[in-house]
Amino acid sequence: MDKENVIDMKTHGGNGFKWGNYTKLGIVLIVILALIIFIITNVFIVKEGEYRVIRQFGEVVRIEKSPGLSYKIPFIQSVTTLPKFQMTYDVQEAELNTKDKKRIIIDNYAIWRIEDPKKMIANARTVEKAESRMEEFIYSVVRAEFGQLNYDEIINDEKSSRGSLNDRVTEKVNELLSKDNYGIILVDVRMKRTDLPGENEQSVYTRMISERESKAQEYLSMGDAEKNRIVAETDREVKEMLAKAQADAEVIRAEGEGEAARVYNQSFSKDPSFYELYRTLESYKKTINEKSVIVLPSDSPYARLLMGYTK
């Protein structure tokens, strides 16, 4: 094989193609692949319910809030994700003093959200530090509020003001967070439970039992008083009804006797002899009995009637 043929084979290859073409194609593919990787690593998706914070040399330069595609400048910018939805934080339980110097253990939870990511990052840096600062404010406000309430007002449902206490704590904590520009807002704070230190439990339970027994006795006394009032009122009404009924009966009886007398007079006036007979027979009922002994002349009206003579 001569020198020219060797050069031709190195240039064109065994099948007639140039090796340089393969080299150029490989470089193009590598460049395209690198470009795709470059784009993928610097384009990101903003999801619903999250903030995307773009930083440059540690400073916040942009915040993406709307869902969709976004980008960052490679090598000099970084992306941090923050939650947009509400979060629940379990506040550590604490032992506090009441107004009357009693001890009570409280356990709270808080519902909060990030309102201004830029302020939150600038002053709290992370979600964990923001929660820690919020917890400090909650503890401070709750301690101040409990310091204005007596022990009985907290443990006694009838005297408790806990219904508005949560709202006051929420409002005051938000004032403190806004003042320090933490960029977060407390939606609500609630008490999960309020417990008593072990040394106070028995005395408090005894006191509560005594109060309930006193209240029960008060209700029983009120019930007895109401019962006596009802009985007295009923007796008075019964007496009034009986008196009225008796008066009505007397009136009716008098009217009946008057009517009877009128009927008798009207009947007897029609036959005087019958009336005389009737009066005589009536007198027998009063004067004669089983032991009566009567001595009468045979011609007396009494004797004649007794012997059956009517003339």
Side-chain angles (χ1 to χ4, degrees), residues 85-93 107-113 126-139 173 177 184-192:
F85 47 80
Q86 292 183 354
M87 294 167 282
T88 302
Y89 180 70
D90 193 6
V91 181
Q92 187 176 0
E93 67 178 35
D107 190 5
N108 298 328
Y109 72 91
I111 300 174
W112 69 287
R113 71 173 186 271
T126 63
V127 171
E128 290 75 16
K129 290 182 179 179
E131 289 179 330
S132 177
R133 192 62 179 145
M134 179 180 64
E135 181 178 26
E136 292 176 7
F137 287 150
I138 291 174
Y139 173 75
V173 170
L177 291 171
I184 64 176
I185 184 170
L186 183 62
V187 178
D188 196 13
V189 60
R190 292 286 164 180
M191 294 183 191
K192 293 191 294 185

Side-chain angles (χ1 to χ4, degrees), residues 60 117-125 181:
V60 177
K118 191 171 184 178
K119 288 183 180 179
M120 196 278 290
I121 292 173
N123 294 286
R125 298 294 177 184
N181 292 319

Side-chain angles (χ1 to χ4, degrees), residues 246-257:
Q246 187 173 1
D248 292 343
E250 292 295 332
V251 171
I252 294 172
R253 185 180 295 109
E255 292 176 352
E257 290 177 351

Side-chain angles (χ1 to χ4, degrees), residues 97-99 143-150 153 168 172:
N97 284 326
T98 61
K99 184 178 180 180
R143 182 179 60 184
E145 290 292 331
F146 269 64
Q148 299 175 14
L149 296 174
N150 288 324
E153 292 178 301
R168 293 201 305 272
K172 292 184 178 181

Side-chain angles (χ1 to χ4, degrees), residues 173-184:
V173 170
N174 278 326
E175 290 176 359
L176 295 173
L177 291 171
S178 176
K179 181 180 178 181
D180 291 347
N181 292 319
Y182 278 102
I184 64 176

Side-chain angles (χ1 to χ4, degrees), residues 144-161:
E145 290 292 331
F146 269 64
Q148 299 175 14
L149 296 174
N150 288 324
Y151 199 61
D152 292 343
E153 292 178 301
I154 298 171
I155 65 172
N156 193 326
D157 292 339
E158 296 178 357
K159 301 178 181 179
S160 175
S161 58

Side-chain angles (χ1 to χ4, degrees), residues 186-203:
L186 183 62
V187 178
D188 196 13
V189 60
R190 292 286 164 180
M191 294 183 191
K192 293 191 294 185
R193 61 187 178 92
T194 55
D195 290 337
L196 303 169
E199 62 272 16
N200 293 344
E201 285 186 357
Q202 189 57 47
S203 62

